[in-house]
Amino acid sequence: MRRGWFLPLFATLGFGFLYAPIVSLIVFSFNESRLVTVWGGFSTRWYGELISDGQLLEAAWVSLKIATISASLAVVIGTLAAFVLTRFGKFHGKLMLTGMVTAPLVMPEVIIGLSLLLLFVAMEGMLGWPAGRGMTTVIIAHSTFCAAYVAVIAQSRLRDMDESLEEAARDLGAGPVRVFFDITLPVIAPALVSGWLLAFTLSLDDLVIASFVSGPGASTLPMVIFSKVRLGVSPDVNALATIIIGIVALAVTVAGVLLMRQSKRAR
Amino acid sequence: MSGASATPGRGRLALPPAMIAAPLVVIALMLGRHWLFLPEDLVLLIGAALLFAFGGFVLGRLVGLPDRWIVIAVPMLWLVVFFLVPFFVLGRISLAETMIARPPYSPLWERGDDGGIEIIASLENYRFLLSDALYVNAYLSSLKIAAISTLFALLIGYPIAYYIARSPEPRRSILLLLVILPFWTSFLLRVYAWIGFLRRDGVINNLLTWAGIIDEPLVMMQTDFAVYIGIVYTYLPFMILPLYANLVKLDGALLEAASDLGASPVTTFLTVTLPLSVPGIVAGSMLVFIPAIGEYVIPALLGGPDTLMIGRTLWDEFFSARDWPVASAVAIVMLVLVVLPIMWLQSVQNRQEAQE
């Protein structure tokens, strides 16, 4: 087939569109001038200001804690839900569980955030818990909506997996719990790792839900960035973005190289 | 079946090691709480959940229930309390009145004179939504912005996906990685990057002025145009990936057969490639359209004051006007008009796929 000029040109433009804003973000993080778009010479002063910005560092620490705990809880809840839906056949409430696992994927974040906040406020009025809002309420919110994403990933892995392995273990006398921990869990572990990573990223990235359900003293990193960015561009946000992009690029590249090596070996 | 040998020498209370580990986790969390700076009620909540699982397991074995009931109950209970019940609270508060109080709505119920519970509900908030053109326009405008953005994402994403699918390895894997990479970086920061591009003294205006194409800087920030760019940009990977997954499976022999029979590349594309890629187009479009409707961050950062989107209207109603009942009514209408049809559409689609 004759190779046209259209596709390569268009793809180049497309990748340019995807990366030009990111590149400019990085370039202007090393800009001496406070004006983000006028070049005033190379400097790393914004990185220095970033390190001395206590509010941002505090928010980053809060966000990392929330993301780690939420992702772990989401993996537990999501895996249980996926396992129940794929292995237990028919049971009362199966349709409801299916709905609750798929709905968060199409639910606008503003609705999830608002409805959970109203629940927390109503619960506080009736039960006295949660007393005010903060890290706990954000973690509950994040682990609930991330669990849906984990469940989708785990479900597809559980469906693809060879069930005869589990049957063999059962025939050899292992109880259902033992089969789960010794056979099922190790087989679906890679899917759970990617589910954890996805949940971690979603939690770290979330602004809308956290804004609704968070309280004083528990501002997450996106909340602090958003309040800064709303007032206009600020070079220290560029510096922060550059660091985040650097970490992600490194992680994805390492993961990509590892995957490629693995698939080569498999061939 | 060798049921007897499964639990040799143990009674029916024999607990698997994982279940015994649960209380240990709670104790460890309680001890490590101060060191990890975890809030106390979070540890208690996790502890309660584990205790529920542990207790339910033991109780189930004592009563003779199958173990599976507790495995179903744990995720079910969590999702009912923190996902399903909130919608009932949302619905209830959308029927309440706004009041200057903490929380700012009329009580959900009151004790009547005879000691019974009285529930006062009114449809006033919904009537208000219908009477004010702002809300109707915001719904329509969200649908329009989401639909146009999806179309542009498709027009830009399709050729890229096709190019990647036709690339030889290892270029294909590298390009795919380049598409996924922005997805893992912060969504907020990617939207922020466009502010620096579109501003009056931003990169695009500077470049065009420098090249002598324009004399006056173009106004791009705080317009609907900026919102379209923002949505297409942030959701483009969601369009490309399903399209790629579909196009990469396309059988090259079909294309060769078409061209051997004398079809031009354009005819081949329109009669072979495009019809076969419809599932990818549908999947990608849904992944862009659905989140775009409820979008808040992009219109808030890139849009102008007259960029109406329903997510932003709800946000302002809640945070600026502090009118919780009206915000709830907006959410309920959004749920009924937007989310339920999409869920219905998806379940129909899934059923069709299952039949095939």
Side-chain angles (χ1 to χ4, degrees):
Chain A
M1 212 174 77
R2 196 175 59 87
R3 282 220 158 266
W5 52 268
F6 172 76
L7 269 183
L9 177 74
F10 198 94
T12 313
L13 285 177
F15 279 102
F17 174 65
L18 272 179
Y19 279 90
I22 295 177
V23 170
S24 101
L25 208 62
I26 296 171
V27 168
F28 283 105
S29 77
F30 294 106
N31 188 5
E32 172 66 37
S33 162
R34 176 168 284 281
L35 295 167
V36 180
T37 46
V38 181
W39 187 251
F42 182 86
S43 136
T44 52
R45 68 183 265 214
W46 304 114
Y47 290 86
E49 288 203 6
L50 193 67
I51 293 167
S52 56
D53 188 336
Q55 195 198 4
L56 260 181
L57 290 184
E58 173 67 28
W61 174 231
V62 167
S63 273
L64 281 176
K65 272 197 289 187
I66 290 178
T68 311
I69 301 171
S70 304
S72 310
L73 281 175
V75 166
V76 174
I77 303 164
T79 309
L80 278 176
F83 185 75
V84 163
L85 286 175
T86 47
R87 291 288 188 273
F88 278 13
K90 284 203 166 80
F91 57 88
H92 286 290
K94 181 171 184 178
L95 193 68
M96 192 168 84
L97 190 60
T98 313
M100 289 192 298
V101 162
T102 44
L105 307 178
V106 297
M107 197 64 69
E109 289 169 320
V110 281
I111 298 187
I112 300 184
L114 177 64
S115 62
L116 259 173
L117 170 79
L118 295 177
L119 173 83
F120 290 141
V121 170
M123 276 171 77
E124 190 183 4
M126 277 182 260
L127 310 170
W129 182 86
R133 282 162 301 283
M135 220 166 99
T136 308
T137 46
V138 180
I139 289 174
I140 292 174
H142 281 181
S143 45
T144 307
F145 96 95
C146 290
Y149 289 84
V150 176
V152 169
I153 297 177
Q155 247 177 307
S156 78
R157 187 73 195 91
L158 279 166
R159 282 213 190 93
D160 292 345
M161 150 180 190
D162 188 0
E163 273 184 66
S164 60
L165 287 174
E166 292 166 337
E167 276 161 29
R170 257 194 303 274
D171 289 347
L172 291 170
V177 181
R178 178 116 191 252
V179 172
F180 178 77
F181 281 100
D182 284 3
I183 308 289
T184 317
L185 207 54
V187 173
I188 64 169
L192 298 190
V193 170
S194 42
W196 191 92
L197 284 174
L198 181 65
F200 184 81
T201 317
L202 287 171
S203 166
L204 210 57
D205 219 18
D206 168 65
L207 166 77
V208 174
I209 297 175
S211 299
F212 276 99
V213 298
S214 187
S219 293
T220 63
L221 191 58
M223 286 164 72
V224 173
I225 294 176
F226 187 66
S227 63
K228 265 178 182 285
V229 164
R230 242 190 166 174
L231 306 171
V233 277
S234 57
D236 48 345
V237 174
N238 284 40
L240 179 71
T242 306
I243 294 173
I244 294 180
I245 291 166
I247 294 171
V248 170
L250 192 73
V252 171
T253 313
V254 168
V257 168
L258 286 179
L259 276 179
M260 250 188 241
R261 270 201 200 143
Q262 216 170 28
S263 68
K264 252 181 211 159
R265 213 174 291 151
R267 248 176 266 150
Chain B
M1 289 297 286
S2 48
S5 67
T7 50
R10 284 188 267 175
R12 67 174 177 180
L13 239 181
L15 292 175
M19 277 288 131
I20 296 166
L24 295 179
V25 172
V26 180
I27 294 167
L29 277 175
M30 281 313 262
L31 293 177
R33 178 169 73 78
H34 292 286
W35 184 69
L36 292 165
F37 304 101
L38 295 180
E40 187 178 4
D41 54 346
L42 177 74
V43 178
L44 288 176
L45 178 74
I46 298 175
L50 287 173
L51 201 70
F52 173 78
F54 182 71
F57 201 86
V58 174
L59 202 73
R61 289 226 163 162
L62 285 175
V63 178
L65 276 172
D67 287 348
R68 59 182 250 168
W69 88 270
I70 191 72
V71 185
I72 298 173
V74 170
M76 188 81 119
L77 198 68
W78 182 286
L79 289 173
V80 165
V81 172
F82 294 122
F83 187 74
L84 198 61
V85 173
F87 291 113
F88 290 103
V89 180
L90 188 73
R92 174 64 192 98
I93 290 173
S94 76
L95 300 173
E97 265 177 70
T98 310
M99 283 197 352
I100 302 174
R102 278 179 73 100
Y105 48 80
S106 55
L108 300 184
W109 61 72
E110 275 173 270
R111 287 259 169 220
D113 298 329
D114 53 349
I117 288 173
E118 283 179 12
I119 292 176
I120 301 154
S122 83
L123 288 169
E124 192 47 47
N125 298 318
Y126 292 95
R127 214 170 290 140
F128 173 67
L129 291 191
L130 276 178
S131 67
D132 195 333
L134 170 82
Y135 299 100
V136 180
N137 288 341
Y139 278 109
L140 295 178
S141 154
S142 299
L143 289 175
K144 188 190 90 183
I145 291 178
I148 295 178
S149 308
T150 307
L151 185 67
F152 274 100
L154 179 64
L155 291 178
I156 297 173
Y158 200 103
I160 299 178
Y162 192 84
Y163 178 74
I164 299 174
R166 291 274 149 264
S167 293
E169 288 285 5
R171 197 204 290 160
R172 188 197 288 173
S173 300
I174 293 169
L175 290 178
L176 210 55
L177 210 63
L178 282 175
V179 171
I180 299 169
L181 194 71
F183 167 75
W184 291 99
T185 59
S186 165
F187 162 76
L188 187 58
L189 291 173
R190 278 183 291 141
V191 178
Y192 164 74
W194 277 98
I195 301 181
F197 250 58
L198 299 173
R199 268 155 41 114
R200 208 184 142 75
D201 58 350
V203 173
I204 293 180
N205 273 325
N206 283 353
L207 275 179
L208 291 179
T209 315
W210 175 77
I213 298 173
I214 52 168
D215 299 321
E216 279 287 294
L218 301 170
V219 179
M220 290 177 287
M221 265 302 283
Q222 304 207 326
T223 61
D224 285 2
F225 170 73
V227 175
Y228 286 123
I229 290 232
I231 295 179
V232 171
Y233 178 72
T234 44
Y235 293 116
L236 194 57
F238 291 102
M239 181 62 90
I240 295 179
L241 291 177
L243 277 174
Y244 162 81
N246 175 279
L247 288 169
V248 81
K249 285 185 294 191
L250 188 72
D251 189 353
L254 289 175
L255 302 183
E256 265 171 47
S259 76
D260 287 350
L261 292 171
S264 70
V266 175
T267 318
T268 311
F269 176 76
L270 289 178
T271 54
V272 180
T273 313
L274 198 60
L276 282 175
S277 61
V278 166
I281 293 176
V282 172
S285 301
M286 293 283 263
L287 285 180
V288 177
F289 184 74
I290 293 169
I293 295 178
E295 190 51 57
Y296 165 72
V297 175
I298 296 171
L301 286 182
L302 300 178
D306 53 342
T307 307
L308 279 179
M309 285 195 82
I310 195 65
R312 195 183 180 192
T313 308
L314 192 157
W315 178 287
D316 289 342
E317 206 59 66
F318 180 82
F319 285 102
S320 310
R322 298 202 61 78
D323 194 333
W324 293 18
V326 169
S328 307
V330 172
I332 290 286
V333 174
M334 203 164 154
L335 208 61
V336 173
L337 290 187
V338 180
V339 180
L340 290 184
I342 287 172
M343 288 187 73
W344 176 75
L345 208 72
Q346 279 191 332
S347 74
V348 169
Q349 218 183 348
N350 286 346
R351 228 171 295 149
Q352 271 174 355
E353 269 167 33
Q355 271 173 7
E356 282 162 19

